[in-house]
Amino acid sequence: MKLKTLLLSACSALMFAGLASAETLTIATVNNGDMVRMQKLTDDFKAKNPGIDLQWVTLEENVLRQKVTTDIATKAGQYDVLTIGTYEVPIWSKLGWLASLDKLSADKDYDVNDLLPAIRSGLTTDGKLYAAPFYGESSMVMYRKDLFDKAGLKMPDAPTWDFVADAARKITDKDHEVYGICLRGKAGWGENMAFLTAMSNSFGARWFDEKWKAQFDQPEWKATLDFYVKLMKDAGPPGASSNGFNENLALFQSGKCGMWIDATVAASFVSDPKESKVADKVGFALAPDKGLGKRGNWLWAWNLAIPASSKKTEAAEKFISWATSKEYTNLVAQKEGWLNAPPGTRTSLYASADYQKAAAFAKMTLDSINSADPTHPTVKPVPYVGVQFVAIPEFQGIGTAVGQQFSAALAGQISVDQALKAAQQLTEREMKKAGYPK
């Protein structure tokens, strides 16, 4: 009995030592479908990395941004892997808040050169990758082919804003609650201003000139906002100033929108017959332009990054490599079907015949992403990086404040001229307070 007891004790001690030596990664992430799916599939990662445990902190998008920003700015070190957007990466990398992903970049199996150039460039600072994309998106036109056929219209693959506006007015049937176009109106730097900033790029507008002077008093912004407000008044749904991504998605899926210009990631939602009443009637086109060389589409990715304060960089890099690899894409396809593969990050996904067969929107998504250039987002030169945002810390606050003015103009509470004047004044005030030009 003594020998048996000793052996059991020894085994217990070894098991305890093994558990004690396991490294636990704390991962902060957003509560969207793709990230929740990733958590469900992590048994695959654990099987390949038995010495690493995972602890998840899953949060709503705005809460995630607040908590992660506070943690990394104060070097609290609460998280080992962060889920951050394309907006944060260039800012935080320049501040020295992120660890560079050197091992990932050098790993031939990971194949960093397979990452889509437009997405990769937004995550690269001084030639180094500071975050790996989990999924990426641009924006494009989703439209009802049946309504276009009924009106005798044919959507070009690359429409102009004038064509879109004319078509929207022609297919509007307010008596039957069919609205020609649905666009974001809800105030926020990531809501209406994501759409309007991308749209303004195609109209030749910009947030700042080369000396960081606000440009809302220029004719290009006037043309952008006039066009948007008039179009939404004529062909948009009621209460549009309260509509963001989710509200417009619901309207489109229920058959109440003739066109919707929004995130390419929504293509799978509107094409899913389980969720969309018009799934078999949806067509896709590039975001519109004004003939100036820029389309009104944005560029975004949710990415995984390592805070410079983490003491578990090697383990964190292994996890990021797994979650953003080609093998992970194939794992999702095997378990959940090709339609659910994380989109917008890898060239190899769009070369897959299986994915092309499952996703009718694949080529249009890829073309939309490739046409966006975060380093040259506007017709005229600018001192900033970012397509639908300006990659400076002050933008979140300024962007939301400007968005409130533009949402009020859409609601008819103030005029377009009043909204632009207020936007110019508040932007000048906040930029001066922040010390620009620097």
Side-chain angles (χ1 to χ4, degrees):
M1 291 293 292
K2 287 184 177 179
L3 179 60
K4 185 176 180 181
T5 302
L6 286 170
L7 287 171
L8 286 170
S9 298
C11 288
S12 297
L14 286 169
M15 287 174 64
F16 179 78
L19 289 171
S21 64
E23 200 164 24
T24 299
L25 292 176
T26 302
I27 304 169
T29 194
V30 67
N31 64 343
N32 66 30
D34 286 293
M35 296 304 188
V36 172
R37 183 179 294 117
M38 176 175 66
Q39 294 177 46
K40 293 178 181 177
L41 296 175
T42 49
D43 283 346
D44 181 79
F45 172 78
K46 292 178 182 178
K48 294 172 180 174
N49 298 274
I52 303 175
D53 288 334
L54 305 176
Q55 180 178 334
W56 296 90
V57 179
T58 307
L59 302 165
E60 186 271 328
E61 183 174 333
N62 289 334
V63 178
L64 173 77
R65 283 199 175 102
Q66 181 183 9
K67 288 187 176 294
V68 165
T69 301
T70 300
D71 183 79
I72 201 166
T74 59
K75 297 181 173 62
Q78 185 178 351
Y79 310 115
D80 302 298
V81 177
L82 310 173
T83 304
I84 58 178
T86 308
Y87 167 73
E88 289 90 356
V89 177
I91 300 172
W92 292 3
S93 59
K94 288 179 181 177
L95 291 171
W97 290 358
L98 300 176
S100 63
L101 302 178
D102 295 331
K103 290 184 180 178
L104 216 64
S105 299
D107 186 348
K108 291 182 180 179
D109 291 332
Y110 182 77
D111 191 6
V112 73
N113 291 322
D114 186 48
L115 298 177
L116 294 174
I119 297 292
R120 182 181 173 185
S121 68
L123 310 177
T124 302
T125 302
D126 297 329
K128 288 190 173 185
L129 191 70
Y130 280 89
F134 184 75
Y135 78 80
E137 66 179 32
S138 183
S139 53
M140 64 183 179
V141 182
M142 292 162 274
Y143 68 96
R144 289 270 302 279
K145 292 186 287 186
D146 58 323
L147 295 181
F148 270 64
D149 290 342
K150 184 179 177 181
L153 298 168
K154 181 175 175 56
M155 173 69 80
D157 286 341
T160 64
W161 281 110
D162 290 338
F163 174 86
V164 165
D166 180 62
R169 291 180 170 100
K170 285 178 178 176
I171 62 177
T172 296
D173 184 358
K174 293 184 179 181
D175 290 340
H176 293 91
E177 293 187 290
V178 175
Y179 306 98
I181 194 162
C182 293
L183 301 172
R184 296 188 188 195
K186 181 186 292 184
W189 74 268
E191 279 284 5
N192 65 337
M193 291 315 298
F195 173 79
L196 284 168
T197 299
M199 180 182 180
S200 75
N201 293 341
S202 66
F203 275 68
R206 49 187 176 166
W207 270 78
F208 303 101
D209 68 10
E210 301 96 315
K211 297 182 179 179
W212 291 101
K213 184 181 184 301
Q215 296 293 290
F216 293 106
D217 57 358
Q218 297 301 301
E220 294 87 354
W221 264 110
K222 165 77 169 167
T224 302
L225 202 58
D226 268 338
F227 185 95
Y228 165 77
V229 170
K230 288 176 182 176
L231 175 59
M232 292 299 285
K233 181 180 179 181
D234 292 345
S241 62
S242 299
N243 292 345
F245 175 87
N246 289 327
E247 292 80 8
N248 284 329
L249 171 62
L251 285 169
F252 193 93
Q253 289 179 322
S254 64
K256 294 184 178 181
C257 293
M259 281 181 282
W260 180 30
I261 303 174
D262 215 295
T264 54
V265 75
S268 62
F269 305 150
V270 299
S271 302
D272 185 350
K274 295 177 183 177
E275 299 181 17
S276 175
K277 291 181 179 179
V278 296
D280 61 340
K281 301 177 176 68
V282 184
F284 306 95
L286 293 174
D289 71 0
K290 286 289 284 184
L292 301 177
K294 293 292 178 181
R295 295 205 161 269
N297 58 304
W298 64 65
L299 189 69
W300 183 259
W302 277 116
N303 315 284
L304 300 179
I306 305 170
S309 58
S310 175
K311 302 291 192 288
K312 304 169 185 175
T313 303
E314 186 175 346
E317 208 161 65
K318 286 181 179 178
F319 176 78
I320 292 175
S321 176
W322 171 82
T324 62
S325 65
K326 298 177 191 177
E327 288 73 18
Y328 177 81
T329 299
N330 291 329
L331 177 65
V332 174
Q334 177 190 342
K335 300 285 187 181
E336 306 282 343
W338 276 105
L339 197 62
N340 291 310
T345 63
R346 287 188 171 272
T347 302
S348 54
L349 176 66
Y350 293 90
S352 165
D354 290 328
Y355 185 67
Q356 290 176 23
K357 184 178 179 181
F361 47 81
K363 184 181 184 302
M364 197 60 67
T365 296
L366 181 62
D367 289 346
S368 297
I369 289 172
N370 285 338
S371 69
D373 184 357
T375 58
H376 300 92
T378 54
V379 175
K380 297 177 182 177
V382 290
Y384 54 85
V385 171
V387 180
Q388 80 278 24
F389 56 81
V390 178
I392 57 174
E394 297 79 14
F395 182 74
Q396 292 189 56
I398 295 173
T400 295
V402 171
Q404 289 166 349
Q405 298 299 320
F406 290 178
S407 185
L410 180 60
Q413 297 167 356
I414 58 176
S415 69
V416 165
D417 288 341
Q418 288 172 323
L420 290 167
K421 183 178 180 180
Q424 180 73 15
Q425 292 174 342
L426 72 88
T427 304
E428 287 179 347
R429 181 177 67 248
E430 292 304 314
M431 291 297 282
K432 184 178 180 180
K433 190 187 300 182
Y436 285 86
K438 292 185 177 180

